[in-house]
Amino acid sequence: MPDTVTDRFLRYVVIDTQSDPKSATQPSTEKQKNLGRLLVEELLAIGLLDAHLDEYGYIYATIPSNVDKPVPVICFCSHMDTAPDFTGTNVKPQMIRAYAGGDIQLWGDSQQIIRVSDNPALRDQIGNDIITTDGTTLLGADDKAGLAEIMTAAQFLVDNPDIKHGTIKILFTVDEEVGRGVDKVDLRKLGAQFAYTMDGETAGHIEDETFSADGVDITIQGVAIHPGFAKGKMENAIKIAGAIIDRLPKHIAPETTSGKEGFIHPTGVTGSMEKATISLIVRDFDDEGLDAKEAMIEAIVQDVMPDYPGSSYTFEVKQQYRNMKVVLDRHPEIMENAVEAIRRAGMEPVRGSIRGGTDGSRLSFMGLPCPNIFAGGHAFHSPLEWISRQDMEKAVQTIVELAKVWEERS
Ligand SMILES: [Zn+2]
């Protein structure tokens, strides 16, 4: 019997692959390659003979086409690292068989309870087998679930040659959680036309939209004078920065918005009397929304500055990433085929948007259009992370169906 997706998942989560934003090396942590080497061995054992780990820590592999006609080359991607937010050392996965409902107390830490009120998705899991941690580490379902699902689907396709499909590429990346997941990807070597990250949450969901993102730096030059002689002359840059921050719109903030609403969010302020800098991030789903928010910020600055006639400011906008929807909309078959595959795997497809960026959004703008399909995990980056066996199995089925749909429709 080949390994099930759950066998694989339980094998991968106990290997510590936490990435490190402070590291300058590639990959950011050498230990990510421990999992990489195991995955390559397993890919070779499945029969994907070109599987290899490259110098940067990425894994490339190919499931060869088994039909004569041309079929677009699609790729499935997942990341091997886990988030720096919470420790991933000594993960002790627990399986709750036939979940009966109710809150889940994790035995390793009495403070850690997966509550139904925080996880309404648990209500759809009655009778399923749920995997959690013991409460002292994260689980790493983000995104070892994606790895296990792609591996299991690869094995299934190789073992069942009667299932017709085109060439399928596999790409496993490092350092996704520290924003460098695709820095060293070689898209020419990969040779795929379209890709899917298996890195979303709830079963049935597929996301083709991300935020568009800019950073804004406002630097204020104040008027510095010895405080003993300052009357009528000093213009303290710290106080000017405070006046600007105070006027930021309260209803356009991360803490007051959801769904398709964007926001303005100060992420840092540094300063002294003579000079202060406010760093902000601006998020929206379209460029007009971004422009409007940036204009709003600058209008606030311009409104504050006349109170400080000796002071000046600079206003700098830096592009961070863009909504991948503009790229994906040029190739509607990417989403149509995925929606059909999810339906054939027995779910009602739900199209959504991500209030953040993904590796897929960066890949899309690098020339590899790449929406994000569910992997089944919940409560990412925390000791309360959980996933069900059944949802991972649905993801495996979705990958297999997607391979079939692309072949049928070519
Ligand atoms: Zn992820």
Side-chain angles (χ1 to χ4, degrees):
M1 273 295 283
D3 285 347
T4 65
V5 66
T6 306
D7 296 333
R8 291 187 188 277
F9 179 74
L10 294 174
R11 190 155 67 228
Y12 306 155
V13 294
V14 298
I15 300 173
D16 184 359
T17 57
Q18 192 177 44
S19 48
D20 177 4
K22 293 192 286 290
S23 161
T25 61
Q26 170 73 37
S28 70
T29 52
E30 195 61 24
K31 61 188 175 187
Q32 294 179 65
K33 288 188 181 169
N34 295 341
L35 177 56
R37 282 185 285 267
L38 172 70
L39 291 168
V40 168
E41 258 173 51
E42 294 188 5
L43 287 162
L44 292 170
I46 289 171
L48 308 189
L49 300 179
D50 67 338
H52 66 283
L53 185 68
D54 78 358
E55 56 182 310
Y56 306 112
Y58 296 96
I59 292 174
Y60 299 80
T62 309
I63 308 172
S65 171
N66 60 8
V67 293
D68 290 328
K69 65 177 175 178
V71 179
V73 177
I74 59 168
C75 175
F76 292 98
C77 316
S78 175
H79 61 91
M80 293 182 273
D81 63 316
T82 61
D85 311 55
F86 206 85
T87 178
T89 307
N90 266 322
V91 173
K92 298 190 245 344
Q94 316 292 312
M95 174 131 37
I96 297 160
R97 284 178 208 282
Y99 170 65
D103 295 349
I104 301 172
Q105 168 73 62
L106 302 179
W107 65 266
D109 180 344
S110 59
Q111 303 294 309
Q112 303 292 358
I113 301 166
I114 304 174
R115 294 182 197 283
V116 178
S117 54
D118 299 327
N119 291 269
L122 276 175
R123 294 199 180 93
D124 302 323
Q125 301 287 344
I126 308 292
N128 288 351
D129 301 331
I130 294 180
I131 303 166
T132 70
T133 67
D134 68 346
T136 62
T137 66
L138 50 65
L139 179 60
D142 175 15
D143 190 17
K144 289 166 180 168
L147 300 173
E149 291 155 4
I150 295 167
M151 294 291 290
T152 308
Q155 171 103 59
F156 187 80
L157 289 172
V158 169
D159 290 351
N160 293 275
D162 49 309
I163 297 172
K164 300 293 171 217
H165 59 81
T167 303
I168 294 166
K169 297 284 180 174
I170 292 173
L171 173 67
F172 296 150
T173 59
V174 287
D175 291 336
E176 192 265 357
E177 299 290 1
V178 296
R180 313 206 299 249
V182 298
D183 283 5
K184 302 283 183 183
V185 168
D186 184 343
L187 289 185
R188 279 187 48 185
K189 176 167 111 175
L190 184 66
Q193 285 164 268
F194 308 115
Y196 299 92
T197 46
M198 300 298 298
D199 196 16
E201 294 190 52
T202 308
H205 286 233
I206 176 164
E207 293 147 337
D208 63 344
E209 278 211 73
T210 55
F211 270 146
S212 281
D214 281 346
V216 174
D217 280 327
I218 305 163
T219 301
I220 299 137
Q221 194 70 50
V223 179
I225 294 197
H226 186 290
F229 309 96
K231 186 168 185 191
K233 299 189 191 104
M234 181 193 283
E235 296 178 11
N236 187 336
I238 298 171
K239 290 187 178 170
I240 301 172
I244 293 168
I245 294 166
D246 187 52
R247 292 193 204 190
L248 292 175
K250 306 213 174 1
H251 61 288
I252 310 180
E255 62 271 31
T256 56
T257 51
S258 63
K260 296 296 282 287
E261 300 165 317
F263 58 71
I264 296 167
H265 176 46
T267 53
V269 52
T270 55
S272 61
M273 171 168 51
E274 61 254 58
K275 189 178 168 188
T277 301
I278 309 167
S279 301
L280 305 102
I281 59 171
V282 183
R283 299 290 185 259
D284 204 278
F285 284 96
D286 62 53
D287 288 356
E288 297 77 59
L290 270 189
D291 292 346
K293 288 180 182 60
E294 285 153 12
M296 188 185 294
I297 300 170
E298 189 154 21
I300 291 169
V301 178
Q302 286 168 344
D303 193 43
V304 167
M305 291 311 288
D307 293 342
Y308 306 93
S311 301
S312 60
Y313 76 94
T314 60
F315 189 90
E316 196 190 349
V317 177
K318 285 193 214 107
Q319 181 172 323
Q320 293 178 329
Y321 58 84
R322 285 293 175 267
N323 187 343
M324 64 182 169
K325 192 166 199 310
V326 293
V327 178
L328 294 175
D329 280 351
R330 282 181 231 140
H331 307 278
E333 67 273 25
I334 303 173
M335 286 296 285
E336 286 162 10
N337 291 357
V339 163
E340 174 65 14
I342 290 169
R343 193 170 285 129
R344 289 189 193 181
M347 292 158 281
E348 189 50 49
V350 180
R351 288 175 74 141
S353 45
I354 306 168
R355 292 176 64 78
T358 65
D359 272 357
S361 57
R362 287 187 59 206
L363 287 172
S364 295
F365 285 94
M366 287 163 66
L368 182 64
C370 185
N372 187 36
I373 296 179
F374 73 93
H378 295 271
F380 287 175
H381 303 189
S382 88
L384 303 177
E385 213 182 338
W386 61 273
I387 191 166
S388 76
R389 173 174 72 80
Q390 285 78 359
D391 286 353
M392 286 196 287
E393 287 168 357
K394 286 180 192 160
V396 174
Q397 236 182 313
T398 300
I399 296 169
V400 172
E401 292 299 331
L402 194 42
K404 287 157 69 173
V405 173
W406 275 99
E407 192 277 340
E408 282 170 28
R409 292 180 173 178
S410 295

